């Protein structure tokens, strides 16, 4: 474990990164055991065939998608290795413990009772019935007893009898998997009577419960023929109805990839008329009372192409099946309420691009092949309540990891700056006369700490987070002077924070502010460390992402700080609640471990309980600790209130 990456809160920094290769090796090696675990926890009422297939699907779905688990968007950890046991003793196989907990969570979620439709989406096989080999009377009695337990109860019994875990380990693992009342689950498991007769091993290891050794039989052949005839009749009726409804009417031009209209509405047709598009005057932004996207003039070499604009509007209203539609979180993709405003129409990287704005959203229409069967994409982003600081640029195209932007008309100068190298001078970014930039390399998804290009537009710094509008970056204490990233202190802070922006992709982020809420001297003359809080605000006003970071000053320049804590949709670190408390476990060069904690300006004392106990007056706490220790933090505020850690 890296001496600066072990954290108090249970996250990726506590347990270390679990690589995909490590998890895959554990999954392949212990696949029959993991499938058996899922099969025993799934509800028996789903039928043996679907239960077998679902067990295999859940085991295969347990493989993480990211290169290193926890390196993706803000997630809580799936595994607490110090509290789990593998197949060969405590923490013998971290990969198996990780995959086992993933399988346990997925199986418990599928076994959860549902009062309303739809039922859980479990796979099916057409034409075959798959089921394990039949066992004896003891296995049949045990299966009946397990069917009367709840999902957590079955999980507790399986962990005790199949995985040979103790009561404390089972309770800890169930809580990590999301079981609210692990004690009740253990009591249910204890109520299952032991099978009669003597056995060398657990009855759960018999062939009755082995979903990898299967028998196959056909389903009801006569019923299958009846269902096939009914399906053919339904398909023919659907084709006939679709043909009648899709017959073209008058008054509409070619719509490209748009679906055929199903009804006529005069106001809707006016909204989709390219002649009624709103266009701002070229110099409207100079005299506008509010500088935002509504003040952008219509730009591009195809603003007069009526056919292109008609196709863009028609696809926005009725995207066909061939159209790839995407929208940022919390953004509606319905048709415009009235004639939208045209921001751009032109050729960019061999693609025809149209940007439209309806006062709430920006829609980006892109087509190849001139509307004659080429690829068509429609992207949406919610950008309401924008101002001059957050409406500086929009994405025109993404090709091979390069992005072209359309900058606001009031942007005079543009540069590209690497957030992770604050001492390096920015390079100028060339733009056309209409504000279209040269390609800008995006940050690598798998290794964002190698470099993070950001756009400096005048005095403002923006970063691409994979959406239509880049997010504005700021620095400063909330409510006391949030400003643009300028100056040595702000750029140095962002150099240690920049690669954490990968956790905020695809969340509809509007601004990201980072500020230092405390500084602390490290024990054993280890230097000093800074405590930073990073808060990402969204366009929709909810779903903010908050990170507390621990950044020792003696580590190599550009290294990312350790994430001490994180929270979603929390007011912490913002103007409504500009206070925070966080802690980490830190390893000195001597090999000794310490619990370090710090609070913001309002904190007057910090106390630790649990695995580490102690109390310090002031904004910082330092206590000797053991590796893997867990503690609860509480702070007292200047006004007499109390503050818990960020979570």
């Amino acid at each position: 474990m890296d001496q600066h990456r072990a954290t108090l809160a249970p996250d990726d920094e506590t347990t270390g990164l679990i690589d995909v290769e490590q998890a895959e090796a554990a999954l392949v090696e212990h696949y029959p055991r993991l499938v058996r675990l899922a099969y025993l926890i799934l509800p028996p009422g789903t039928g043996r065939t679907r239960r077998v297939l679902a067990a295999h699907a859940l085991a295969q779905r347990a493989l993480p998608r990211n290169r290193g688990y926890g390196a993706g968007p803000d997630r809580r950890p799936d595994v607490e290795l110090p509290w789990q046991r593998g197949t060969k003793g405590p923490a013998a196989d971290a990969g198996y413990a990780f995959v086992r907990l993933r399988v346990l969570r997925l199986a418990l979620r599928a076994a959860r009772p549902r009062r309303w439709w739809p039922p859980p989406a479990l796979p099916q096989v057409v034409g075959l019935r798959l089921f394990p080999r039949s066992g004896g009377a003891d296995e049949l009695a045990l299966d009946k007893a397990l069917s009367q337990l709840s999902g957590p109860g079955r999980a507790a019994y399986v962990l005790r009898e199949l995985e040979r875990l103790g009561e404390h380990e089972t309770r800890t693992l169930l809580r990590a998997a999301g079981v609210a009342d692990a004690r009740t689950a253990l009591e249910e498991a204890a109520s299952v009577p032991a099978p009669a007769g003597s056995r060398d091993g657990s009855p759960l290891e018999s062939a009755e419960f082995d979903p990898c050794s299967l028998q196959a039989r056909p389903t009801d052949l006569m019923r299958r023929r009846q269902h096939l005839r009914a399906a053919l009749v339904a398909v023919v009726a659907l084709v006939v109805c679709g043909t009648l409804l899709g017959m073209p009417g008058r008054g509409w031009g070619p719509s490209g990839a748009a679906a055929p209209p199903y009804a006529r509405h005069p106001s809707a047709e006016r909204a989709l008329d390219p002649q009624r598009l709103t266009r701002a005057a070229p110099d409207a932004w100079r005299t506008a009372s509010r500088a935002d996207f509504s003040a952008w003039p219509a730009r591009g070499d195809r603003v007069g192409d009526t056919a292109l604009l008609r196709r863009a509007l028609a696809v926005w209203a009725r995207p066909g099946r061939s159209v790839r539609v995407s929208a940022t979180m919390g953004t509606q993709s319905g048709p415009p309420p009235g004639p939208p405003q045209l921001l751009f129409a032109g050729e960019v990287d061999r693609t025809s691009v149209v940007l439209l704005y309806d006062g709430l959203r920006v829609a980006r229409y892109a087509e190849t092949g001139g509307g004659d069967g080429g690829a068509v994409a429609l992207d949406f982003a919610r950008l309401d309540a924008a101002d001059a600081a957050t409406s500086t640029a929009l994405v025109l195209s993404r090709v091979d990891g390069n992005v072209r932007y359309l900058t606001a008309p009031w942007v005079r100068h543009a540069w590209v700056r690497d957030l992770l190298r604050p001492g390096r001078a920015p390079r100028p970014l060339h733009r056309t006369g209409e504000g279209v930039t040269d390609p800008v390399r995006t940050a690598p998804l798998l290794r964002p700490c190698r470099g993070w290009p950001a756009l400096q537009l005048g005095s403002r710094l923006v970063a691409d987070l994979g959406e239509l509008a880049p997010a504005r970056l700021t620095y400063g204490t909330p409510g006391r002077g949030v400003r643009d990233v300028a100056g040595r202190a702000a750029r140095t802070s962002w150099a240690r924070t920049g690669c954490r922006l990968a956790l905020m992709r695809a969340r509809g982020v509007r601004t990201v502010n980072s500020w230092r809420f405390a500084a602390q001297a490290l024990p054993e003359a280890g230097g000093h460390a800074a405590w930073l809080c990073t808060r990402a605000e969204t366009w929709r006003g909810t779903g903010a992402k908050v990170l507390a970071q621990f950044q020792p000053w003696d580590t190599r320049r550009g290294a990312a700080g350790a994430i001490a804590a994180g929270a979603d949709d929390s007011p912490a670190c913002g103007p409504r609640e500009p206070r925070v408390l966080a802690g980490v476990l830190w390893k000195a060069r001597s090999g000794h471990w310490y619990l370090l904690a710090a609070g913001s300006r309002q904190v007057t004392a910090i106390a630790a309980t649990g695995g580490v106990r102690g109390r310090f007056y002031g904004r910082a706490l330092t206590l000797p600790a053991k590796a893997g220790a867990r503690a609860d933090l509480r702070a007292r505020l200047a006004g007499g209130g109390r503050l818990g850690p960020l979570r």
Side-chain angles (χ1 to χ4, degrees):
M1 182 183 297
D2 186 83
Q3 64 175 350
H4 302 310
R5 300 177 68 178
T7 62
L8 178 68
D11 65 6
D12 305 328
E13 306 296 339
T14 303
T15 62
L17 295 177
I18 301 296
D19 292 334
V20 173
E21 291 82 0
Q22 183 180 358
E24 183 181 18
L27 180 62
V28 173
E29 181 181 359
H30 304 286
Y31 183 80
R33 192 179 191 88
L34 293 168
V35 175
R36 187 189 293 261
L37 178 69
Y39 178 82
L40 290 167
I41 298 175
L42 286 172
T46 57
R48 300 177 74 187
T49 298
R50 297 189 66 194
R51 190 178 171 193
V52 165
L53 295 175
H56 284 271
L58 296 181
Q60 296 174 22
R61 202 180 303 166
L63 188 66
R65 298 182 180 179
N66 296 329
R67 186 69 181 173
Y69 186 76
D74 118 321
R75 298 186 203 173
R76 293 188 61 83
D78 270 9
V79 65
E80 299 175 20
L81 300 184
W83 292 97
Q84 291 197 58
R85 185 171 68 183
T87 58
K88 301 177 182 179
D93 188 349
Y96 173 74
F98 172 80
V99 179
R100 177 179 63 187
L101 181 53
R102 301 260 299 180
V103 171
L104 181 61
R105 281 185 173 174
L106 294 172
L108 285 172
R109 189 180 306 167
R112 193 176 302 157
R114 287 170 169 81
R115 296 183 178 181
W116 307 104
W117 188 263
L122 302 180
Q124 298 187 32
V125 168
V126 177
L128 280 180
R129 294 170 51 240
L130 303 175
F131 49 90
R133 299 181 180 275
S134 300
D138 291 346
E139 286 80 5
L140 182 61
L142 179 58
D143 188 36
K144 182 178 180 181
L146 291 178
S147 66
Q148 298 175 357
L149 301 182
S150 63
R154 285 193 300 272
Y157 185 89
V158 172
L159 292 175
R160 292 292 303 274
E161 296 296 323
L162 182 64
E163 293 294 297
R164 303 296 184 182
L165 299 182
E167 181 178 351
H168 176 71
E169 293 171 318
T170 302
R171 185 187 304 113
T172 303
L173 191 54
L174 289 174
R175 289 173 179 170
V179 176
D181 193 354
R183 188 179 302 275
T184 302
L186 284 168
E187 293 175 357
E188 284 189 61
S191 66
V192 178
S198 61
R199 292 180 178 272
D200 296 330
S202 171
L204 297 181
E205 297 178 354
S206 66
E208 172 76 13
F209 306 112
D210 185 7
C212 292
S213 179
L214 304 173
Q215 301 183 70
R217 294 292 186 272
T219 58
D220 191 331
L221 301 179
M222 295 300 296
R223 183 173 298 178
R224 282 169 49 191
R225 290 183 180 180
Q226 296 173 359
H227 290 174
L228 181 60
R229 294 191 188 100
L232 289 176
V233 172
V235 169
V236 172
L238 183 62
V239 170
V240 172
C241 294
T243 303
L244 294 176
L245 292 174
M247 295 181 63
R250 59 184 181 84
W252 288 84
S255 299
Y262 294 105
R264 296 287 187 234
H265 195 282
S267 60
E269 292 190 5
R270 285 194 296 270
L272 302 180
D273 185 356
Q275 301 297 333
R276 296 178 178 270
L277 284 174
T278 303
R279 302 171 188 243
D283 58 348
W285 60 274
R286 299 181 183 273
T287 58
S289 59
R290 186 181 65 184
D292 59 7
F293 295 106
S294 63
W296 282 28
R299 290 172 285 179
D301 55 1
R302 298 185 66 178
V303 293
D305 190 337
T306 303
L308 172 63
L309 301 179
R310 185 184 301 278
R311 290 195 298 272
L313 292 169
V315 170
W316 184 353
R318 309 180 312 278
R321 294 183 178 179
S322 62
V323 179
R324 181 189 62 81
V325 180
S326 67
T328 59
M329 189 178 298
T331 304
Q332 300 296 325
S333 58
Q341 178 182 347
L342 177 63
L343 303 181
F344 179 86
E347 292 292 324
V348 182
D349 295 328
R350 301 179 184 178
T351 303
S352 301
V353 178
V354 179
L355 289 180
L356 300 168
Y357 177 63
D358 67 353
L360 178 66
R361 305 163 294 171
V362 164
R364 175 184 173 272
Y365 171 84
E367 69 175 24
T368 59
D372 297 329
V376 178
L378 184 64
D379 305 317
F380 294 93
R382 179 175 174 177
L383 303 176
D384 54 321
D387 53 18
T390 54
S391 57
T392 53
L394 289 174
V395 171
L396 283 179
S397 71
R398 297 182 186 274
V399 179
D400 297 331
N402 295 305
V403 181
R404 288 185 188 268
Y405 297 90
L406 177 67
T407 58
W410 52 81
V411 173
R412 296 185 177 181
H413 305 286
W415 299 271
V416 177
R417 177 182 292 276
D418 190 345
L419 282 178
L420 309 188
R421 294 169 176 82
R424 182 177 299 179
R427 63 176 179 85
L429 178 61
H430 176 263
R431 299 181 298 160
T432 66
E434 294 183 329
V436 179
T437 68
D438 284 352
V440 178
R441 193 69 180 172
T442 59
L445 293 177
L446 296 181
R447 296 185 178 179
C449 292
R450 285 191 170 185
W452 196 286
L455 262 64
Q456 184 173 335
L457 305 176
S459 62
R460 299 182 176 97
L461 201 65
V462 297
D464 176 35
L465 297 184
E467 301 171 355
L468 283 181
R472 182 194 177 194
L473 307 182
T474 58
Y475 181 81
T477 306
R480 301 187 58 188
V482 174
R483 57 190 182 278
D484 292 316
V485 181
R488 181 178 179 180
R491 289 172 182 163
T492 302
S493 173
W494 267 106
R496 304 287 305 281
T497 307
C499 59
R500 296 301 184 187
L501 289 172
L503 302 178
M504 302 169 185
R505 289 180 179 270
R507 299 176 66 94
V509 174
R510 175 178 181 173
T511 60
V512 184
N513 180 59
S514 185
W515 58 291
R516 191 175 76 179
F517 64 86
Q520 184 175 14
L522 301 177
E524 299 186 13
H528 292 77
W531 292 86
L532 273 77
C533 199
T534 304
R535 180 180 176 87
E537 299 282 0
T538 65
W539 287 95
R540 61 189 182 278
T542 59
K545 175 70 177 176
V546 184
L547 298 176
Q549 299 183 63
F550 174 73
Q551 298 182 350
W553 293 345
D554 61 345
T555 54
R556 63 182 178 86
R557 179 173 297 180
I563 298 179
D568 290 329
D569 205 9
S570 170
C573 293
R576 293 179 54 192
E577 193 173 318
R579 53 182 180 267
V580 63
L581 171 67
V584 297
L585 286 177
W586 180 80
K587 185 179 180 181
R589 289 189 174 90
S590 64
H592 297 150
W593 286 87
Y594 293 89
L595 169 63
L596 306 179
S600 52
R601 185 184 303 272
Q602 302 87 345
V603 172
T604 59
I606 302 176
T609 58
V612 183
R613 292 180 175 273
R615 182 184 183 92
F616 269 65
Y617 290 96
R619 297 170 55 191
L621 175 144
T622 303
L623 292 173
K626 295 182 180 180
R630 299 174 60 84
D632 294 326
L633 295 175
R634 288 292 183 272
R636 183 177 295 276
L637 301 177
R642 294 184 179 273
L643 177 66
L646 179 67
R647 60 183 57 179

